[in-house]
Coordinates of all heavy atoms in Angstrom, one line a residue:
M1 N 0.8 -1.2 0.0 CA 0.0 0.0 0.0 C 0.9 1.2 0.0 O 0.5 2.2 -0.6 CB -0.9 0.1 1.3 CG -1.9 -1.0 1.3 SD -3.2 -0.6 0.1 CE -4.4 -1.7 0.6
R2 N 1.9 1.2 0.8 CA 2.7 2.4 0.8 C 3.3 2.9 -0.5 O 3.6 4.0 -0.7 CB 3.9 2.2 1.8 CG 3.4 2.2 3.3 CD 4.6 2.2 4.2 NE 4.1 2.2 5.6 CZ 4.9 2.2 6.6 NH1 6.1 2.3 6.5 NH2 4.3 2.3 7.8
R3 N 3.5 1.9 -1.4 CA 4.1 2.2 -2.7 C 3.1 3.0 -3.5 O 3.5 3.7 -4.5 CB 4.4 0.9 -3.5 CG 5.7 0.2 -2.9 CD 5.9 -1.0 -3.7 NE 5.0 -2.0 -3.1 CZ 4.6 -3.1 -3.8 NH1 4.8 -3.2 -5.0 NH2 3.7 -3.9 -3.2
Q4 N 1.9 3.1 -3.1 CA 0.8 3.8 -3.9 C 0.6 5.2 -3.4 O -0.4 5.7 -3.7 CB -0.5 3.0 -3.8 CG -0.3 1.6 -4.5 CD -1.7 0.9 -4.4 OE1 -2.7 1.3 -3.9 NE2 -1.6 -0.3 -5.0
G5 N 1.4 5.8 -2.7 CA 1.3 7.2 -2.3 C 1.3 7.5 -0.9 O 1.6 8.6 -0.5
I6 N 0.9 6.6 0.0 CA 0.9 6.9 1.4 C 2.3 7.1 2.0 O 2.5 7.9 2.8 CB 0.2 5.7 2.2 CG1 -1.2 5.7 1.8 CG2 0.3 5.9 3.7 CD1 -2.0 6.9 2.0
K7 N 3.3 6.4 1.4 CA 4.7 6.6 1.8 C 5.1 8.1 1.7 O 5.8 8.7 2.5 CB 5.6 5.7 1.1 CG 7.0 5.8 1.6 CD 8.0 4.8 1.1 CE 9.3 4.9 1.7 NZ 10.3 3.9 1.3
W8 N 4.6 8.7 0.6 CA 4.9 10.1 0.4 C 4.4 11.0 1.5 O 5.1 11.9 2.0 CB 4.3 10.6 -1.0 CG 4.7 12.0 -1.3 CD1 5.8 12.3 -2.0 CD2 4.1 13.2 -1.0 NE1 5.9 13.7 -2.2 CE2 4.9 14.3 -1.5 CE3 3.0 13.5 -0.2 CZ2 4.6 15.6 -1.3 CZ3 2.7 14.8 0.0 CH2 3.4 15.9 -0.5
W9 N 3.2 10.7 2.0 CA 2.6 11.5 3.1 C 3.4 11.3 4.4 O 3.7 12.2 5.1 CB 1.1 11.1 3.3 CG 0.3 11.7 2.2 CD1 -0.3 11.0 1.2 CD2 -0.1 13.1 2.0 NE1 -1.0 11.9 0.4 CE2 -0.9 13.2 0.9 CE3 0.3 14.3 2.7 CZ2 -1.4 14.4 0.4 CZ3 -0.3 15.5 2.2 CH2 -1.1 15.5 1.1
I10 N 3.8 10.0 4.6 CA 4.6 9.7 5.8 C 5.9 10.5 5.8 O 6.2 11.1 6.8 CB 4.8 8.2 5.9 CG1 3.5 7.4 6.1 CG2 5.9 7.9 7.0 CD1 3.6 5.9 6.0
C11 N 6.6 10.5 4.7 CA 7.8 11.2 4.6 C 7.6 12.7 4.7 O 8.4 13.4 5.3 CB 8.5 10.9 3.2 SG 9.2 9.3 3.2
F12 N 6.5 13.2 4.1 CA 6.2 14.7 4.2 C 6.0 15.1 5.6 O 6.6 16.1 6.0 CB 4.9 14.9 3.4 CG 4.4 16.3 3.5 CD1 5.1 17.3 2.7 CD2 3.4 16.7 4.2 CE1 4.6 18.7 2.8 CE2 2.9 18.0 4.3 CZ 3.5 19.0 3.6
F13 N 5.2 14.4 6.4 CA 5.0 14.8 7.8 C 6.2 14.5 8.6 O 6.5 15.3 9.6 CB 3.8 14.1 8.4 CG 2.5 14.5 7.8 CD1 1.7 13.7 7.0 CD2 2.1 15.8 7.9 CE1 0.5 14.1 6.4 CE2 0.9 16.3 7.3 CZ 0.1 15.4 6.6
K14 N 7.0 13.5 8.3 CA 8.3 13.3 9.1 C 9.2 14.5 8.8 O 9.9 14.9 9.7 CB 8.9 12.0 8.6 CG 10.1 11.6 9.4 CD 10.7 10.3 9.0 CE 11.9 9.8 9.7 NZ 13.0 10.9 9.8
D15 N 9.3 14.9 7.5 CA 10.2 16.0 7.2 C 9.7 17.3 7.9 O 10.6 18.1 8.4 CB 10.2 16.3 5.7 CG 11.0 15.2 4.9 OD1 11.7 14.4 5.6 OD2 10.8 15.1 3.7
L16 N 8.4 17.5 8.0 CA 7.9 18.7 8.7 C 8.4 18.7 10.2 O 8.9 19.7 10.7 CB 6.4 18.8 8.7 CG 5.7 19.3 7.4 CD1 4.2 19.2 7.6 CD2 6.2 20.7 7.0
K17 N 8.3 17.5 10.8 CA 8.7 17.3 12.2 C 10.2 17.5 12.3 O 10.7 18.2 13.2 CB 8.2 16.0 12.7 CG 8.4 15.8 14.1 CD 7.9 14.4 14.6 CE 8.3 14.2 16.0 NZ 7.9 12.9 16.4
D18 N 10.9 16.8 11.4 CA 12.4 16.9 11.5 C 13.0 18.2 11.3 O 14.1 18.6 11.8 CB 13.1 15.9 10.5 CG 12.8 14.4 10.9 OD1 12.3 14.2 12.0 OD2 13.0 13.6 10.0
N19 N 12.3 19.0 10.5 CA 12.8 20.4 10.2 C 12.1 21.4 11.2 O 12.3 22.6 11.0 CB 12.4 20.8 8.8 CG 13.2 20.0 7.8 OD1 14.3 19.6 8.0 ND2 12.5 19.7 6.7
Y20 N 11.6 21.0 12.3 CA 11.0 21.8 13.3 C 9.9 22.7 12.8 O 9.7 23.8 13.3 CB 12.1 22.6 14.0 CG 13.1 21.7 14.6 CD1 14.4 21.6 14.0 CD2 12.9 20.9 15.8 CE1 15.3 20.7 14.6 CE2 13.8 20.1 16.3 CZ 15.0 20.0 15.7 OH 16.0 19.2 16.2
E21 N 9.2 22.3 11.7 CA 8.1 23.1 11.2 C 6.8 22.6 11.7 O 5.8 23.2 11.5 CB 8.1 23.0 9.7 CG 9.3 23.6 9.0 CD 9.4 23.4 7.6 OE1 8.6 22.7 7.0 OE2 10.4 23.8 7.0
Y22 N 6.8 21.5 12.4 CA 5.6 20.9 13.0 C 6.0 20.4 14.4 O 6.9 19.7 14.6 CB 5.1 19.8 12.1 CG 4.0 18.9 12.8 CD1 2.8 19.4 13.1 CD2 4.3 17.6 13.1 CE1 1.8 18.6 13.8 CE2 3.4 16.8 13.7 CZ 2.1 17.3 14.1 OH 1.2 16.5 14.7
D23 N 5.2 20.8 15.4 CA 5.3 20.3 16.7 C 4.1 19.5 17.1 O 3.0 20.0 17.2 CB 5.5 21.5 17.7 CG 5.6 21.1 19.2 OD1 5.7 19.9 19.5 OD2 5.6 22.0 20.0
E24 N 4.3 18.2 17.3 CA 3.2 17.3 17.5 C 2.5 17.5 18.9 O 1.4 17.1 19.1 CB 3.6 15.8 17.4 CG 4.7 15.4 18.5 CD 5.2 14.0 18.2 OE1 4.4 13.1 18.0 OE2 6.4 13.9 18.2
F25 N 3.1 18.3 19.7 CA 2.6 18.6 21.1 C 1.9 19.9 21.1 O 1.3 20.3 22.1 CB 3.7 18.5 22.1 CG 4.3 17.1 22.2 CD1 5.6 16.9 21.7 CD2 3.6 16.1 22.7 CE1 6.2 15.7 21.8 CE2 4.2 14.8 22.8 CZ 5.4 14.6 22.3
N26 N 1.9 20.6 20.0 CA 1.3 21.9 19.9 C -0.1 21.7 19.3 O -0.2 21.3 18.1 CB 2.1 22.9 19.0 CG 1.5 24.2 18.9 OD1 0.3 24.4 19.0 ND2 2.4 25.2 18.6
P27 N -1.2 21.9 20.1 CA -2.5 21.7 19.5 C -2.9 22.4 18.3 O -3.6 22.0 17.4 CB -3.4 22.0 20.8 CG -2.6 22.0 21.9 CD -1.2 22.3 21.4
L28 N -2.3 23.6 18.2 CA -2.6 24.5 17.0 C -2.0 23.8 15.8 O -2.6 23.8 14.7 CB -2.1 25.9 17.2 CG -2.3 26.9 16.0 CD1 -3.9 27.0 15.8 CD2 -1.7 28.2 16.3
H29 N -0.8 23.3 15.9 CA -0.2 22.7 14.7 C -0.9 21.4 14.3 O -1.2 21.2 13.1 CB 1.3 22.2 15.1 CG 2.3 23.3 15.1 ND1 3.6 23.1 15.1 CD2 2.1 24.7 15.2 CE1 4.3 24.2 15.1 NE2 3.4 25.2 15.2
V30 N -1.4 20.6 15.3 CA -2.1 19.4 15.0 C -3.4 19.7 14.3 O -3.7 19.1 13.3 CB -2.4 18.7 16.4 CG1 -3.3 17.4 16.1 CG2 -1.1 18.2 17.0
E31 N -4.2 20.7 14.8 CA -5.5 21.0 14.2 C -5.3 21.7 12.9 O -6.1 21.4 12.0 CB -6.2 22.0 15.2 CG -6.7 21.3 16.4 CD -7.5 20.1 16.2 OE1 -8.4 20.0 15.3 OE2 -7.3 19.1 16.9
C32 N -4.2 22.5 12.6 CA -4.0 23.0 11.3 C -3.7 22.0 10.3 O -4.2 22.0 9.2 CB -2.9 24.0 11.4 SG -3.4 25.6 12.2
L33 N -2.9 21.0 10.7 CA -2.6 19.9 9.8 C -3.8 19.0 9.5 O -4.0 18.6 8.3 CB -1.4 19.0 10.3 CG 0.0 19.6 10.2 CD1 1.0 18.6 10.8 CD2 0.3 19.9 8.8
K34 N -4.6 18.8 10.5 CA -5.9 18.0 10.3 C -6.7 18.8 9.3 O -7.3 18.2 8.4 CB -6.5 17.8 11.6 CG -6.0 16.8 12.5 CD -6.9 16.7 13.7 CE -6.3 15.7 14.7 NZ -7.2 15.7 16.0
F35 N -6.9 20.1 9.5 CA -7.7 20.9 8.7 C -7.2 20.9 7.2 O -8.0 20.8 6.3 CB -7.8 22.3 9.2 CG -8.7 23.2 8.4 CD1 -10.1 23.2 8.4 CD2 -8.1 24.1 7.5 CE1 -10.8 24.0 7.7 CE2 -8.9 24.9 6.7 CZ -10.3 24.9 6.8
C36 N -6.0 21.0 7.1 CA -5.4 21.2 5.7 C -5.3 19.8 4.9 O -5.4 19.9 3.7 CB -4.0 21.8 5.8 SG -4.1 23.5 6.3
F37 N -5.0 18.8 5.6 CA -4.6 17.5 5.0 C -5.6 16.4 5.1 O -5.5 15.4 4.3 CB -3.3 17.1 5.4 CG -2.2 18.1 5.0 CD1 -1.6 18.9 6.0 CD2 -1.7 18.1 3.7 CE1 -0.6 19.8 5.6 CE2 -0.7 19.0 3.3 CZ -0.2 19.8 4.3
T38 N -6.6 16.4 6.0 CA -7.5 15.3 6.1 C -8.2 14.9 4.9 O -8.2 13.7 4.5 CB -8.5 15.6 7.2 OG1 -7.8 15.8 8.5 CG2 -9.5 14.4 7.4
H39 N -8.7 15.8 4.1 CA -9.4 15.5 2.9 C -8.5 15.0 1.8 O -8.9 14.0 1.1 CB -10.2 16.7 2.4 CG -11.3 17.1 3.3 ND1 -12.4 16.4 3.6 CD2 -11.4 18.3 4.1 CE1 -13.2 17.0 4.4 NE2 -12.6 18.2 4.8
L40 N -7.3 15.5 1.7 CA -6.3 15.0 0.8 C -5.9 13.6 1.0 O -5.9 12.7 0.2 CB -5.1 15.9 0.7 CG -5.3 17.3 0.2 CD1 -4.1 18.2 0.4 CD2 -5.7 17.3 -1.3
I41 N -5.6 13.3 2.3 CA -5.2 11.9 2.7 C -6.4 11.0 2.5 O -6.2 9.9 2.0 CB -4.6 12.0 4.1 CG1 -3.3 12.8 4.1 CG2 -4.4 10.5 4.6 CD1 -2.8 13.0 5.5
Q42 N -7.6 11.4 2.9 CA -8.7 10.5 2.8 C -9.0 10.2 1.2 O -9.3 9.0 0.9 CB -10.0 11.1 3.3 CG -11.2 10.2 3.3 CD -10.9 8.9 4.2 OE1 -10.5 9.0 5.4 NE2 -11.0 7.7 3.5
A43 N -8.8 11.2 0.4 CA -9.0 10.9 -1.1 C -7.9 9.9 -1.6 O -8.2 9.0 -2.4 CB -8.8 12.2 -1.8
E44 N -6.7 10.0 -1.0 CA -5.6 9.1 -1.4 C -6.0 7.6 -0.9 O -5.9 6.7 -1.7 CB -4.3 9.5 -0.8 CG -3.2 8.6 -1.2 CD -2.7 8.8 -2.6 OE1 -3.1 9.7 -3.3 OE2 -1.9 7.9 -3.1
L45 N -6.5 7.6 0.3 CA -6.9 6.2 0.9 C -8.0 5.7 0.1 O -8.1 4.5 -0.1 CB -7.2 6.4 2.4 CG -6.0 6.7 3.3 CD1 -6.5 7.0 4.7 CD2 -5.0 5.6 3.3
D46 N -9.0 6.5 -0.3 CA -10.1 6.0 -1.1 C -9.7 5.5 -2.4 O -10.2 4.5 -2.9 CB -11.1 7.1 -1.3 CG -11.9 7.5 0.0 OD1 -11.8 6.7 1.0 OD2 -12.5 8.6 0.0
R47 N -8.7 6.2 -3.1 CA -8.2 5.7 -4.3 C -7.5 4.4 -4.2 O -7.7 3.4 -4.9 CB -7.2 6.8 -4.9 CG -6.7 6.4 -6.3 CD -5.6 7.4 -6.7 NE -4.4 7.4 -5.9 CZ -3.4 6.4 -6.1 NH1 -3.5 5.5 -6.9 NH2 -2.4 6.5 -5.3
I48 N -6.7 4.2 -3.1 CA -6.0 3.0 -2.9 C -7.0 1.9 -2.6 O -6.9 0.7 -3.1 CB -5.0 3.1 -1.7 CG1 -3.9 4.0 -2.0 CG2 -4.5 1.8 -1.2 CD1 -3.0 4.4 -0.9
A49 N -8.1 2.1 -1.8 CA -9.1 1.1 -1.6 C -9.8 0.7 -2.9 O -10.0 -0.5 -3.1 CB -10.1 1.6 -0.5
T50 N -10.1 1.6 -3.7 CA -10.7 1.3 -4.9 C -9.8 0.4 -5.8 O -10.3 -0.6 -6.4 CB -11.1 2.6 -5.7 OG1 -12.0 3.3 -4.9 CG2 -11.7 2.3 -7.1
N51 N -8.6 0.8 -5.9 CA -7.6 0.0 -6.7 C -7.5 -1.4 -6.1 O -7.4 -2.4 -6.9 CB -6.3 0.7 -6.8 CG -6.3 1.9 -7.7 OD1 -7.2 2.0 -8.6 ND2 -5.4 2.8 -7.6
W52 N -7.4 -1.5 -4.8 CA -7.3 -2.7 -4.1 C -8.5 -3.6 -4.4 O -8.3 -4.8 -4.7 CB -7.1 -2.6 -2.7 CG -7.0 -3.8 -1.9 CD1 -7.9 -4.5 -1.2 CD2 -5.8 -4.7 -1.8 NE1 -7.5 -5.7 -0.7 CE2 -6.1 -5.8 -1.0 CE3 -4.5 -4.5 -2.3 CZ2 -5.2 -6.7 -0.7 CZ3 -3.6 -5.6 -2.0 CH2 -3.9 -6.6 -1.2
N53 N -9.7 -3.1 -4.3 CA -10.9 -3.8 -4.6 C -11.1 -4.3 -6.0 O -11.8 -5.2 -6.3 CB -12.1 -3.1 -4.0 CG -12.1 -2.9 -2.6 OD1 -11.6 -3.8 -1.8 ND2 -12.7 -1.9 -2.0
L54 N -10.4 -3.6 -7.0 CA -10.6 -3.9 -8.4 C -9.6 -5.0 -8.8 O -9.7 -5.5 -9.9 CB -10.4 -2.7 -9.2 CG -11.6 -1.6 -9.1 CD1 -11.3 -0.4 -9.9 CD2 -12.9 -2.2 -9.5
H55 N -8.5 -5.1 -8.1 CA -7.5 -6.1 -8.6 C -7.9 -7.5 -8.4 O -8.7 -7.8 -7.5 CB -6.1 -5.8 -7.9 CG -5.9 -6.6 -6.6 ND1 -6.5 -6.2 -5.4 CD2 -5.1 -7.7 -6.3 CE1 -6.2 -7.1 -4.5 NE2 -5.3 -8.0 -5.0
S56 N -7.5 -8.4 -9.3 CA -7.9 -9.8 -9.2 C -6.8 -10.5 -8.4 O -5.6 -10.2 -8.4 CB -8.0 -10.4 -10.6 OG -6.8 -10.2 -11.3
I57 N -7.2 -11.6 -7.8 CA -6.4 -12.4 -7.0 C -6.1 -13.7 -7.8 O -7.0 -14.4 -8.2 CB -7.0 -12.7 -5.6 CG1 -7.3 -11.4 -4.9 CG2 -6.1 -13.7 -4.8 CD1 -8.1 -11.6 -3.6
C58 N -4.8 -14.0 -8.0 CA -4.4 -15.1 -8.8 C -5.0 -16.4 -8.3 O -5.5 -17.2 -9.2 CB -2.9 -15.2 -8.8 SG -2.1 -13.9 -9.6
S59 N -5.1 -16.7 -7.1 CA -5.6 -17.9 -6.6 C -7.1 -18.1 -7.0 O -7.5 -19.2 -7.2 CB -5.4 -18.1 -5.1 OG -6.1 -17.1 -4.4
Q60 N -7.8 -17.0 -7.0 CA -9.2 -17.1 -7.4 C -9.4 -17.4 -8.8 O -10.2 -18.2 -9.2 CB -10.0 -15.7 -7.1 CG -10.2 -15.6 -5.6 CD -11.0 -14.3 -5.4 OE1 -11.1 -13.5 -6.2 NE2 -11.6 -14.2 -4.2
K61 N -8.5 -16.8 -9.7 CA -8.5 -17.1 -11.1 C -8.2 -18.6 -11.3 O -8.9 -19.3 -12.0 CB -7.5 -16.3 -11.8 CG -7.8 -14.9 -12.1 CD -6.7 -14.2 -12.9 CE -7.0 -12.8 -13.1 NZ -5.9 -12.1 -13.9
M62 N -7.2 -19.1 -10.6 CA -6.8 -20.5 -10.7 C -8.0 -21.4 -10.3 O -8.3 -22.4 -10.9 CB -5.6 -20.8 -9.9 CG -5.1 -22.2 -10.1 SD -4.7 -22.6 -11.8 CE -3.1 -21.9 -11.9
H63 N -8.6 -21.0 -9.2 CA -9.7 -21.8 -8.6 C -10.9 -21.8 -9.7 O -11.4 -22.9 -9.9 CB -10.2 -21.2 -7.3 CG -11.3 -22.0 -6.7 ND1 -11.2 -23.3 -6.2 CD2 -12.6 -21.6 -6.5 CE1 -12.3 -23.7 -5.7 NE2 -13.2 -22.7 -5.9
R64 N -11.2 -20.7 -10.2 CA -12.3 -20.6 -11.2 C -11.9 -21.5 -12.5 O -12.7 -22.2 -13.0 CB -12.5 -19.2 -11.7 CG -13.6 -18.5 -10.9 CD -13.9 -17.2 -11.5 NE -13.3 -16.2 -10.6 CZ -12.7 -15.1 -11.0 NH1 -12.6 -14.9 -12.3 NH2 -12.2 -14.3 -10.2
Y65 N -10.7 -21.4 -12.9 CA -10.2 -22.2 -14.0 C -10.3 -23.7 -13.7 O -10.8 -24.5 -14.6 CB -8.8 -21.9 -14.4 CG -8.2 -22.7 -15.4 CD1 -8.5 -22.5 -16.8 CD2 -7.3 -23.8 -15.1 CE1 -8.0 -23.3 -17.8 CE2 -6.8 -24.6 -16.1 CZ -7.1 -24.4 -17.4 OH -6.6 -25.1 -18.4
Q66 N -9.9 -24.1 -12.6 CA -10.0 -25.5 -12.1 C -11.5 -26.0 -12.1 O -11.8 -27.1 -12.5 CB -9.4 -25.7 -10.8 CG -7.8 -25.6 -10.9 CD -7.2 -25.6 -9.5 OE1 -7.8 -25.5 -8.4 NE2 -5.9 -25.8 -9.4
M67 N -12.4 -25.1 -11.5 CA -13.8 -25.5 -11.5 C -14.4 -25.6 -12.8 O -15.1 -26.6 -13.1 CB -14.6 -24.4 -10.6 CG -14.1 -24.3 -9.2 SD -14.5 -25.8 -8.3 CE -16.3 -25.6 -8.1
E68 N -14.1 -24.7 -13.8 CA -14.6 -24.8 -15.1 C -14.1 -26.0 -15.9 O -14.8 -26.6 -16.7 CB -14.2 -23.5 -15.9 CG -15.0 -22.3 -15.4 CD -14.5 -21.0 -16.0 OE1 -13.5 -21.1 -16.9 OE2 -15.0 -19.9 -15.7
S69 N -12.9 -26.3 -15.6 CA -12.3 -27.5 -16.4 C -12.9 -28.8 -15.9 O -12.9 -29.8 -16.6 CB -10.8 -27.5 -16.2 OG -10.4 -27.7 -14.9
Q70 N -13.5 -28.9 -14.7 CA -14.0 -30.1 -14.2 C -15.5 -30.2 -14.6 O -16.0 -31.3 -14.5 CB -14.0 -30.0 -12.6 CG -12.7 -30.1 -12.0 CD -12.7 -30.0 -10.5 OE1 -13.7 -29.8 -9.9 NE2 -11.4 -30.1 -10.0
I71 N -16.1 -29.2 -15.1 CA -17.5 -29.3 -15.6 C -17.6 -30.0 -16.9 O -16.9 -30.1 -17.8 CB -18.1 -27.9 -15.7 CG1 -18.2 -27.3 -14.3 CG2 -19.5 -28.0 -16.3 CD1 -18.7 -25.9 -14.2

């Protein structure tokens, strides 16, 4: 999952913290980040969930193939 974009967000917030641009103990910083990024991150997670739900699983394909060949 991280390869699909979430790793970018993890690095982004880590860089903010490492560069002292974000203080996780400052309630104002926390609320500002929530306000600014919640919708963007949720959209990314929704995209990942959609892609995940659309991919096929090889074992299911094989199982279907085996069932069809037995008929």
Side-chain angles (χ1 to χ4, degrees):
M1 293 288 192
R2 286 187 179 185
R3 287 178 279 149
Q4 296 181 1
I6 294 302
K7 186 172 181 174
W8 187 90
W9 287 107
I10 293 169
C11 291
F12 176 78
F13 291 117
K14 185 179 179 312
D15 288 346
L16 284 178
K17 187 178 172 186
D18 291 347
N19 293 327
Y20 303 104
E21 296 171 359
Y22 167 67
D23 177 6
E24 64 186 312
F25 300 108
N26 182 333
L28 182 61
H29 284 197
V30 173
E31 292 304 316
C32 286
L33 283 181
K34 284 181 187 178
F35 179 79
C36 292
F37 294 104
T38 298
H39 295 293
L40 293 171
I41 294 171
Q42 187 61 55
E44 182 74 14
L45 291 171
D46 291 343
R47 185 186 66 78
I48 290 169
T50 299
N51 287 340
W52 178 261
N53 290 331
L54 292 176
H55 89 285
S56 59
I57 300 173
C58 294
S59 63
Q60 285 183 345
K61 283 183 185 178
M62 183 59 80
H63 181 68
R64 270 188 254 138
Y65 175 76
Q66 289 171 346
M67 295 294 287
E68 290 172 359
S69 65
Q70 292 176 358
I71 297 177

